[in-house]
Amino acid sequence: MIDLLRDLSPILIPIIALFIPIVGIIAWAVVRVTRLKLLHETVRHLSANGQPIPHELLNKITGSKD
């Protein structure tokens, strides 16, 4: 088993090193999509109840800095 790991380590280390940033990028995208989905749900719920939508919430969705 140790010989197998010693033989595979020159291959596995670069592969794992490349997967770490890829996993980070995917995790960031999932968090961003989930956050935007929740913001849209909130806006939809507020508008369905006839409540005003705060400008701060709309700015987060549109990404504007107004």
Side-chain angles (χ1 to χ4, degrees), residues 15-16 18-22 39 48 53 56 62 65:
I15 290 173
I16 292 171
L18 289 174
F19 274 126
I20 291 172
I22 292 170
L39 284 171
I53 300 168
E56 295 85 13
T62 59
K65 304 281 185 199

Side-chain angles (χ1 to χ4, degrees), residues 15-60:
I15 290 173
I16 292 171
L18 289 174
F19 274 126
I20 291 172
I22 292 170
V23 168
I25 292 169
I26 291 171
W28 172 79
V30 167
V31 167
R32 184 172 180 196
V33 167
T34 303
R35 184 171 170 259
L36 283 174
K37 184 178 174 182
L38 289 173
L39 284 171
H40 282 287
E41 265 183 49
T42 303
V43 169
R44 205 171 56 226
H45 182 70
L46 288 173
S47 65
N49 290 336
Q51 297 177 352
I53 300 168
H55 292 290
E56 295 85 13
L57 191 61
L58 289 176
N59 290 342
K60 285 184 182 179

